Amino acid sequence: MILVLVGYMASGKSAIGRVLANKLNYRFIDLDDFIEESENSTVSDLFKLKGELHFRKLETHYLNELLHSQNNLVLALGGGTPCYGNNMDLILNADHVKSIYLKASIPTLIGRLKNEKSKRPLIAHIETADLLAEFIGKHLFERSQFYSLAQVTITTDHKSEKDIIEELVFKLF
């Protein structure tokens, strides 16, 4: 089985994905890291040098490859991955794949993102908590229609990693 984690940045996809994969004895792959390794370039450089459209095509290519060539895998997607092209359809229509939306509220996301803005190019320029809240709110409004298509939704607010993993395992198995 392949477990695909979707959700907004800082919703916990990579952190929860690593713990979940370890618990299940599955392999863990972060799609952005996989693209960087495969392309010998950072996501930021791919955006700068070849443009977003090129990156999104690569993203779809590698997503499709992983969905059809792996098993016993936890795959964490970038926050925008399910929202472009037919990526969410690829996930939903693939055999042996379960999609999981890690849902976090705007206040939770702000709390997680405010101290790591420099590591997140998409929000590095945002100066105040109010502007960050507005940015996240707009993005979530646009993206939630895709995230909510996932087969399982787990709300992560005020929960420990352990509690989230237990809830996930219970819902999946």
CSV table of all heavy atoms in Angstrom, one decimal, residues 29-82:
chain,number,residue,atom,x,y,z
A,29,ILE,N,9.2,8.8,1.5
A,29,ILE,CA,9.7,9.7,0.5
A,29,ILE,C,9.0,11.0,0.6
A,29,ILE,O,7.7,11.1,0.6
A,29,ILE,CB,9.5,9.1,-0.9
A,29,ILE,CG1,10.4,7.8,-1.1
A,29,ILE,CG2,9.9,10.1,-2.0
A,29,ILE,CD1,10.2,7.2,-2.4
A,30,ASP,N,9.7,12.1,0.7
A,30,ASP,CA,9.2,13.4,0.5
A,30,ASP,C,9.4,13.8,-1.0
A,30,ASP,O,10.5,13.7,-1.5
A,30,ASP,CB,10.0,14.4,1.4
A,30,ASP,CG,9.5,15.8,1.2
A,30,ASP,OD1,9.7,16.4,0.2
A,30,ASP,OD2,9.0,16.4,2.2
A,31,LEU,N,8.3,14.1,-1.7
A,31,LEU,CA,8.3,14.3,-3.1
A,31,LEU,C,9.3,15.4,-3.5
A,31,LEU,O,10.0,15.2,-4.5
A,31,LEU,CB,6.9,14.6,-3.7
A,31,LEU,CG,6.8,14.7,-5.2
A,31,LEU,CD1,7.3,13.4,-5.9
A,31,LEU,CD2,5.4,15.0,-5.6
A,32,ASP,N,9.3,16.5,-2.8
A,32,ASP,CA,10.3,17.5,-3.1
A,32,ASP,C,11.7,17.1,-3.1
A,32,ASP,O,12.5,17.4,-3.9
A,32,ASP,CB,10.1,18.8,-2.2
A,32,ASP,CG,8.8,19.6,-2.6
A,32,ASP,OD1,8.2,19.4,-3.7
A,32,ASP,OD2,8.4,20.5,-1.8
A,33,ASP,N,12.0,16.3,-2.0
A,33,ASP,CA,13.4,15.8,-1.9
A,33,ASP,C,13.7,14.8,-3.0
A,33,ASP,O,14.8,14.8,-3.6
A,33,ASP,CB,13.5,15.0,-0.5
A,33,ASP,CG,13.5,16.0,0.7
A,33,ASP,OD1,13.6,17.2,0.5
A,33,ASP,OD2,13.3,15.5,1.8
A,34,PHE,N,12.7,14.0,-3.4
A,34,PHE,CA,12.9,13.0,-4.5
A,34,PHE,C,13.1,13.7,-5.8
A,34,PHE,O,14.0,13.3,-6.6
A,34,PHE,CB,11.6,12.1,-4.6
A,34,PHE,CG,11.7,11.0,-5.6
A,34,PHE,CD1,12.3,9.8,-5.2
A,34,PHE,CD2,11.2,11.1,-6.8
A,34,PHE,CE1,12.4,8.7,-6.1
A,34,PHE,CE2,11.3,10.0,-7.7
A,34,PHE,CZ,11.9,8.9,-7.3
A,35,ILE,N,12.4,14.8,-6.0
A,35,ILE,CA,12.6,15.6,-7.3
A,35,ILE,C,14.0,16.2,-7.2
A,35,ILE,O,14.7,16.2,-8.3
A,35,ILE,CB,11.5,16.7,-7.4
A,35,ILE,CG1,10.2,16.0,-7.7
A,35,ILE,CG2,11.9,17.7,-8.5
A,35,ILE,CD1,9.0,17.0,-7.6
A,36,GLU,N,14.4,16.8,-6.1
A,36,GLU,CA,15.8,17.4,-6.0
A,36,GLU,C,16.9,16.4,-6.3
A,36,GLU,O,17.8,16.7,-7.1
A,36,GLU,CB,16.0,18.0,-4.6
A,36,GLU,CG,15.2,19.3,-4.4
A,36,GLU,CD,15.4,19.9,-3.1
A,36,GLU,OE1,15.9,19.3,-2.1
A,36,GLU,OE2,15.0,21.1,-2.9
A,37,GLU,N,16.7,15.2,-5.7
A,37,GLU,CA,17.7,14.1,-6.0
A,37,GLU,C,17.7,13.7,-7.5
A,37,GLU,O,18.8,13.5,-8.1
A,37,GLU,CB,17.5,12.9,-5.1
A,37,GLU,CG,17.8,13.2,-3.6
A,37,GLU,CD,17.3,12.0,-2.7
A,37,GLU,OE1,17.2,10.9,-3.2
A,37,GLU,OE2,17.1,12.3,-1.5
A,38,SER,N,16.5,13.5,-8.0
A,38,SER,CA,16.4,13.0,-9.4
A,38,SER,C,16.9,14.1,-10.4
A,38,SER,O,17.4,13.7,-11.4
A,38,SER,CB,14.9,12.7,-9.7
A,38,SER,OG,14.5,11.7,-8.8
A,39,GLU,N,16.7,15.3,-10.1
A,39,GLU,CA,17.0,16.4,-11.0
A,39,GLU,C,18.4,17.0,-10.7
A,39,GLU,O,18.8,17.9,-11.5
A,39,GLU,CB,15.9,17.5,-11.0
A,39,GLU,CG,14.6,17.0,-11.6
A,39,GLU,CD,14.7,16.6,-13.1
A,39,GLU,OE1,15.2,17.3,-13.9
A,39,GLU,OE2,14.1,15.5,-13.4
A,40,ASN,N,19.0,16.6,-9.6
A,40,ASN,CA,20.3,17.2,-9.2
A,40,ASN,C,20.2,18.7,-9.1
A,40,ASN,O,21.1,19.5,-9.5
A,40,ASN,CB,21.4,16.9,-10.2
A,40,ASN,CG,22.5,16.1,-9.6
A,40,ASN,OD1,22.5,15.9,-8.4
A,40,ASN,ND2,23.4,15.6,-10.4
A,41,SER,N,19.1,19.2,-8.5
A,41,SER,CA,18.8,20.6,-8.4
A,41,SER,C,17.8,20.8,-7.3
A,41,SER,O,17.0,20.0,-7.0
A,41,SER,CB,18.2,21.2,-9.7
A,41,SER,OG,18.0,22.6,-9.6
A,42,THR,N,17.9,22.0,-6.7
A,42,THR,CA,16.9,22.3,-5.6
A,42,THR,C,15.6,22.7,-6.3
A,42,THR,O,15.5,23.2,-7.4
A,42,THR,CB,17.4,23.4,-4.7
A,42,THR,OG1,17.5,24.7,-5.4
A,42,THR,CG2,18.7,23.1,-4.1
A,43,VAL,N,14.5,22.6,-5.5
A,43,VAL,CA,13.2,23.1,-6.0
A,43,VAL,C,13.3,24.6,-6.3
A,43,VAL,O,12.8,25.0,-7.3
A,43,VAL,CB,12.1,22.7,-4.9
A,43,VAL,CG1,10.8,23.4,-5.3
A,43,VAL,CG2,11.9,21.2,-4.8
A,44,SER,N,13.9,25.3,-5.4
A,44,SER,CA,14.0,26.8,-5.6
A,44,SER,C,14.7,27.1,-6.9
A,44,SER,O,14.3,27.9,-7.7
A,44,SER,CB,14.8,27.4,-4.5
A,44,SER,OG,14.1,27.3,-3.3
A,45,ASP,N,15.8,26.4,-7.2
A,45,ASP,CA,16.5,26.6,-8.5
A,45,ASP,C,15.7,26.2,-9.7
A,45,ASP,O,15.8,26.8,-10.7
A,45,ASP,CB,17.9,25.9,-8.5
A,45,ASP,CG,18.9,26.6,-7.6
A,45,ASP,OD1,18.7,27.8,-7.2
A,45,ASP,OD2,20.0,26.0,-7.3
A,46,LEU,N,15.0,25.1,-9.6
A,46,LEU,CA,14.1,24.6,-10.7
A,46,LEU,C,13.1,25.7,-11.0
A,46,LEU,O,12.8,26.0,-12.2
A,46,LEU,CB,13.5,23.3,-10.3
A,46,LEU,CG,14.4,22.1,-10.3
A,46,LEU,CD1,13.7,20.9,-9.7
A,46,LEU,CD2,14.8,21.7,-11.8
A,47,PHE,N,12.5,26.3,-9.9
A,47,PHE,CA,11.5,27.4,-10.1
A,47,PHE,C,12.2,28.6,-10.8
A,47,PHE,O,11.7,29.1,-11.8
A,47,PHE,CB,11.0,27.8,-8.8
A,47,PHE,CG,9.6,27.2,-8.4
A,47,PHE,CD1,9.6,26.0,-7.9
A,47,PHE,CD2,8.5,27.9,-8.7
A,47,PHE,CE1,8.3,25.4,-7.6
A,47,PHE,CE2,7.2,27.4,-8.3
A,47,PHE,CZ,7.2,26.1,-7.8
A,48,LYS,N,13.4,29.0,-10.3
A,48,LYS,CA,14.1,30.1,-10.8
A,48,LYS,C,14.6,30.0,-12.2
A,48,LYS,O,14.4,30.8,-13.1
A,48,LYS,CB,15.3,30.5,-9.9
A,48,LYS,CG,15.0,31.1,-8.6
A,48,LYS,CD,16.2,31.4,-7.8
A,48,LYS,CE,15.9,31.5,-6.4
A,48,LYS,NZ,17.2,31.4,-5.5
A,49,LEU,N,15.2,28.8,-12.5
A,49,LEU,CA,15.9,28.6,-13.8
A,49,LEU,C,14.9,28.1,-14.9
A,49,LEU,O,15.1,28.5,-16.1
A,49,LEU,CB,17.0,27.6,-13.6
A,49,LEU,CG,18.1,28.0,-12.6
A,49,LEU,CD1,19.1,26.9,-12.4
A,49,LEU,CD2,18.8,29.3,-13.1
A,50,LYS,N,14.0,27.3,-14.5
A,50,LYS,CA,13.1,26.7,-15.6
A,50,LYS,C,11.6,27.1,-15.5
A,50,LYS,O,10.9,26.8,-16.3
A,50,LYS,CB,13.3,25.2,-15.6
A,50,LYS,CG,14.7,24.8,-15.8
A,50,LYS,CD,14.8,23.4,-16.4
A,50,LYS,CE,16.3,23.1,-16.7
A,50,LYS,NZ,16.5,21.8,-17.2
A,51,GLY,N,11.3,27.7,-14.4
A,51,GLY,CA,9.9,28.2,-14.2
A,51,GLY,C,9.0,27.2,-13.5
A,51,GLY,O,9.3,26.0,-13.4
A,52,GLU,N,7.9,27.7,-13.0
A,52,GLU,CA,6.9,26.9,-12.2
A,52,GLU,C,6.3,25.8,-13.1
A,52,GLU,O,6.1,24.7,-12.6
A,52,GLU,CB,5.8,27.8,-11.6
A,52,GLU,CG,4.9,26.9,-10.7
A,52,GLU,CD,3.8,27.7,-10.0
A,52,GLU,OE1,3.8,29.0,-10.2
A,52,GLU,OE2,3.1,27.1,-9.3
A,53,LEU,N,6.0,26.2,-14.3
A,53,LEU,CA,5.3,25.2,-15.2
A,53,LEU,C,6.2,24.0,-15.4
A,53,LEU,O,5.7,22.8,-15.3
A,53,LEU,CB,5.0,25.8,-16.6
A,53,LEU,CG,4.2,24.9,-17.5
A,53,LEU,CD1,2.9,24.4,-16.9
A,53,LEU,CD2,4.0,25.7,-18.8
A,54,HIS,N,7.5,24.2,-15.6
A,54,HIS,CA,8.4,23.0,-15.8
A,54,HIS,C,8.4,22.2,-14.5
A,54,HIS,O,8.4,21.0,-14.5
A,54,HIS,CB,9.8,23.6,-16.1
A,54,HIS,CG,10.8,22.5,-16.2
A,54,HIS,ND1,11.0,21.6,-17.2
A,54,HIS,CD2,11.8,22.1,-15.3
A,54,HIS,CE1,11.9,20.8,-17.0
A,54,HIS,NE2,12.5,21.0,-15.8
A,55,PHE,N,8.5,22.9,-13.3
A,55,PHE,CA,8.5,22.2,-12.0
A,55,PHE,C,7.3,21.4,-11.9
A,55,PHE,O,7.3,20.2,-11.4
A,55,PHE,CB,8.7,23.2,-10.9
A,55,PHE,CG,8.6,22.4,-9.5
A,55,PHE,CD1,9.6,21.7,-9.1
A,55,PHE,CD2,7.4,22.5,-8.8
A,55,PHE,CE1,9.5,21.0,-7.8
A,55,PHE,CE2,7.3,21.8,-7.6
A,55,PHE,CZ,8.3,21.1,-7.1
A,56,ARG,N,6.1,21.9,-12.2
A,56,ARG,CA,4.8,21.2,-12.0
A,56,ARG,C,4.8,20.0,-12.9
A,56,ARG,O,4.2,19.0,-12.5
A,56,ARG,CB,3.7,22.2,-12.2
A,56,ARG,CG,3.5,23.3,-11.2
A,56,ARG,CD,3.4,22.8,-9.8
A,56,ARG,NE,3.4,23.9,-8.9
A,56,ARG,CZ,3.4,23.8,-7.6
A,56,ARG,NH1,3.5,22.6,-7.0
A,56,ARG,NH2,3.4,24.9,-6.8
A,57,LYS,N,5.4,20.1,-14.1
A,57,LYS,CA,5.4,18.9,-15.0
A,57,LYS,C,6.3,17.8,-14.4
A,57,LYS,O,6.0,16.6,-14.4
A,57,LYS,CB,5.9,19.3,-16.4
A,57,LYS,CG,4.9,20.1,-17.2
A,57,LYS,CD,5.4,20.5,-18.5
A,57,LYS,CE,4.4,21.3,-19.3
A,57,LYS,NZ,4.9,21.7,-20.6
A,58,LEU,N,7.4,18.2,-13.8
A,58,LEU,CA,8.3,17.3,-13.2
A,58,LEU,C,7.6,16.6,-12.0
A,58,LEU,O,7.7,15.4,-11.8
A,58,LEU,CB,9.6,18.0,-12.7
A,58,LEU,CG,10.6,18.4,-13.7
A,58,LEU,CD1,11.7,19.2,-13.0
A,58,LEU,CD2,11.2,17.2,-14.4
A,59,GLU,N,6.9,17.4,-11.2
A,59,GLU,CA,6.2,17.0,-10.1
A,59,GLU,C,5.2,15.9,-10.5
A,59,GLU,O,5.1,14.8,-9.8
A,59,GLU,CB,5.5,18.2,-9.5
A,59,GLU,CG,5.0,18.1,-8.1
A,59,GLU,CD,4.5,19.4,-7.6
A,59,GLU,OE1,3.7,20.1,-8.3
A,59,GLU,OE2,4.8,19.7,-6.4
A,60,THR,N,4.4,16.1,-11.5
A,60,THR,CA,3.4,15.1,-12.0
A,60,THR,C,4.1,13.9,-12.5
A,60,THR,O,3.7,12.8,-12.2
A,60,THR,CB,2.6,15.7,-13.1
A,60,THR,OG1,1.9,16.9,-12.5
A,60,THR,CG2,1.6,14.7,-13.6
A,61,HIS,N,5.2,14.1,-13.2
A,61,HIS,CA,6.0,12.9,-13.7
A,61,HIS,C,6.5,12.0,-12.6
A,61,HIS,O,6.2,10.8,-12.6
A,61,HIS,CB,7.2,13.4,-14.5
A,61,HIS,CG,8.1,12.3,-14.9
A,61,HIS,ND1,7.9,11.4,-15.8
A,61,HIS,CD2,9.4,12.0,-14.3
A,61,HIS,CE1,8.9,10.5,-15.9
A,61,HIS,NE2,9.8,10.9,-15.0
A,62,TYR,N,7.1,12.6,-11.6
A,62,TYR,CA,7.7,11.8,-10.5
A,62,TYR,C,6.6,11.3,-9.6
A,62,TYR,O,6.7,10.1,-9.0
A,62,TYR,CB,8.7,12.6,-9.7
A,62,TYR,CG,10.0,12.8,-10.5
A,62,TYR,CD1,10.4,14.0,-10.9
A,62,TYR,CD2,10.7,11.7,-10.9
A,62,TYR,CE1,11.6,14.2,-11.6
A,62,TYR,CE2,11.9,11.8,-11.6
A,62,TYR,CZ,12.3,13.1,-12.0
A,62,TYR,OH,13.5,13.2,-12.7
A,63,LEU,N,5.5,12.0,-9.4
A,63,LEU,CA,4.4,11.5,-8.6
A,63,LEU,C,3.8,10.2,-9.3
A,63,LEU,O,3.6,9.2,-8.6
A,63,LEU,CB,3.3,12.6,-8.5
A,63,LEU,CG,1.9,12.1,-7.9
A,63,LEU,CD1,2.1,11.7,-6.4
A,63,LEU,CD2,0.9,13.2,-8.0
A,64,ASN,N,3.6,10.3,-10.5
A,64,ASN,CA,3.0,9.2,-11.3
A,64,ASN,C,4.0,8.0,-11.2
A,64,ASN,O,3.6,6.8,-11.0
A,64,ASN,CB,2.8,9.6,-12.7
A,64,ASN,CG,1.9,8.7,-13.5
A,64,ASN,OD1,0.9,8.1,-12.9
A,64,ASN,ND2,2.1,8.4,-14.7
A,65,GLU,N,5.3,8.3,-11.4
A,65,GLU,CA,6.3,7.2,-11.3
A,65,GLU,C,6.2,6.5,-9.9
A,65,GLU,O,6.2,5.3,-9.9
A,65,GLU,CB,7.7,7.8,-11.5
A,65,GLU,CG,8.8,6.8,-11.4
A,65,GLU,CD,10.2,7.5,-11.6
A,65,GLU,OE1,10.4,8.1,-12.7
A,65,GLU,OE2,11.0,7.3,-10.7
A,66,LEU,N,6.2,7.3,-8.9
A,66,LEU,CA,6.2,6.7,-7.5
A,66,LEU,C,4.9,5.9,-7.2
A,66,LEU,O,4.9,4.9,-6.6
A,66,LEU,CB,6.4,7.8,-6.5
A,66,LEU,CG,7.8,8.3,-6.4
A,66,LEU,CD1,7.9,9.6,-5.6
A,66,LEU,CD2,8.8,7.3,-5.9
A,67,LEU,N,3.8,6.4,-7.7
A,67,LEU,CA,2.5,5.8,-7.5
A,67,LEU,C,2.4,4.4,-8.2
A,67,LEU,O,1.7,3.6,-7.8
A,67,LEU,CB,1.3,6.7,-8.0
A,67,LEU,CG,1.1,7.9,-7.2
A,67,LEU,CD1,-0.1,8.7,-7.8
A,67,LEU,CD2,0.7,7.6,-5.7
A,68,HIS,N,3.2,4.2,-9.2
A,68,HIS,CA,3.1,3.0,-10.0
A,68,HIS,C,4.3,2.1,-9.9
A,68,HIS,O,4.4,1.0,-10.5
A,68,HIS,CB,2.8,3.3,-11.5
A,68,HIS,CG,1.5,3.9,-11.7
A,68,HIS,ND1,1.3,5.3,-11.7
A,68,HIS,CD2,0.3,3.3,-11.8
A,68,HIS,CE1,0.0,5.5,-11.8
A,68,HIS,NE2,-0.7,4.4,-11.9
A,69,SER,N,5.3,2.5,-9.1
A,69,SER,CA,6.5,1.7,-9.0
A,69,SER,C,6.9,1.3,-7.6
A,69,SER,O,7.9,0.7,-7.4
A,69,SER,CB,7.7,2.4,-9.7
A,69,SER,OG,8.0,3.6,-8.9
A,70,GLN,N,6.1,1.7,-6.6
A,70,GLN,CA,6.5,1.5,-5.2
A,70,GLN,C,5.4,0.7,-4.5
A,70,GLN,O,4.3,0.7,-5.0
A,70,GLN,CB,6.7,2.8,-4.5
A,70,GLN,CG,7.8,3.7,-5.1
A,70,GLN,CD,9.2,3.2,-4.7
A,70,GLN,OE1,9.4,2.8,-3.6
A,70,GLN,NE2,10.1,3.3,-5.6
A,71,ASN,N,5.8,0.2,-3.4
A,71,ASN,CA,4.8,-0.4,-2.5
A,71,ASN,C,5.3,-0.2,-1.1
A,71,ASN,O,6.5,0.0,-0.9
A,71,ASN,CB,4.5,-1.8,-2.8
A,71,ASN,CG,3.1,-2.2,-2.3
A,71,ASN,OD1,2.4,-1.4,-1.8
A,71,ASN,ND2,2.7,-3.5,-2.6
A,72,ASN,N,4.4,-0.3,-0.1
A,72,ASN,CA,4.9,-0.1,1.3
A,72,ASN,C,5.6,1.3,1.4
A,72,ASN,O,6.8,1.3,1.8
A,72,ASN,CB,5.7,-1.2,1.8
A,72,ASN,CG,4.9,-2.5,1.9
A,72,ASN,OD1,3.6,-2.5,2.0
A,72,ASN,ND2,5.5,-3.6,1.8
A,73,LEU,N,4.9,2.3,1.0
A,73,LEU,CA,5.5,3.6,0.9
A,73,LEU,C,4.6,4.7,1.6
A,73,LEU,O,3.4,4.6,1.4
A,73,LEU,CB,5.7,4.0,-0.5
A,73,LEU,CG,6.2,5.4,-0.9
A,73,LEU,CD1,7.6,5.7,-0.4
A,73,LEU,CD2,6.0,5.6,-2.4
A,74,VAL,N,5.2,5.6,2.3
A,74,VAL,CA,4.5,6.8,2.8
A,74,VAL,C,5.1,7.9,2.0
A,74,VAL,O,6.4,8.2,2.0
A,74,VAL,CB,4.7,7.0,4.3
A,74,VAL,CG1,4.1,8.4,4.7
A,74,VAL,CG2,4.1,5.9,5.1
A,75,LEU,N,4.3,8.6,1.2
A,75,LEU,CA,4.7,9.7,0.3
A,75,LEU,C,4.2,11.0,0.8
A,75,LEU,O,2.9,11.2,0.8
A,75,LEU,CB,4.3,9.4,-1.1
A,75,LEU,CG,4.6,10.4,-2.2
A,75,LEU,CD1,6.1,10.6,-2.4
A,75,LEU,CD2,4.0,9.9,-3.5
A,76,ALA,N,5.0,12.0,1.2
A,76,ALA,CA,4.6,13.3,1.6
A,76,ALA,C,4.7,14.2,0.3
A,76,ALA,O,5.8,14.3,-0.2
A,76,ALA,CB,5.5,13.8,2.7
A,77,LEU,N,3.6,14.8,0.0
A,77,LEU,CA,3.6,15.7,-1.2
A,77,LEU,C,3.9,17.2,-0.7
A,77,LEU,O,3.6,17.5,0.4
A,77,LEU,CB,2.2,15.7,-1.9
A,77,LEU,CG,1.8,14.3,-2.4
A,77,LEU,CD1,0.5,14.5,-3.2
A,77,LEU,CD2,2.8,13.6,-3.2
A,78,GLY,N,4.3,18.0,-1.7
A,78,GLY,CA,4.4,19.4,-1.4
A,78,GLY,C,2.9,20.0,-1.3
A,78,GLY,O,2.0,19.4,-1.8
A,79,GLY,N,2.8,21.1,-0.6
A,79,GLY,CA,1.5,21.6,-0.4
A,79,GLY,C,0.7,21.9,-1.6
A,79,GLY,O,-0.6,21.8,-1.6
A,80,GLY,N,1.3,22.2,-2.7
A,80,GLY,CA,0.7,22.6,-4.0
A,80,GLY,C,0.5,21.4,-4.9
A,80,GLY,O,-0.3,21.5,-5.8
A,81,THR,N,1.1,20.3,-4.6
A,81,THR,CA,1.1,19.2,-5.6
A,81,THR,C,-0.3,18.7,-5.9
A,81,THR,O,-0.6,18.5,-7.1
A,81,THR,CB,1.9,18.0,-5.0
A,81,THR,OG1,3.2,18.4,-4.7
A,81,THR,CG2,2.0,16.9,-6.0
A,82,PRO,N,-1.2,18.5,-5.0
A,82,PRO,CA,-2.5,18.0,-5.3
A,82,PRO,C,-3.4,19.0,-6.1
A,82,PRO,O,-4.4,18.6,-6.7
A,82,PRO,CB,-3.2,17.7,-4.0
A,82,PRO,CG,-2.2,17.9,-2.9
A,82,PRO,CD,-1.1,18.6,-3.5
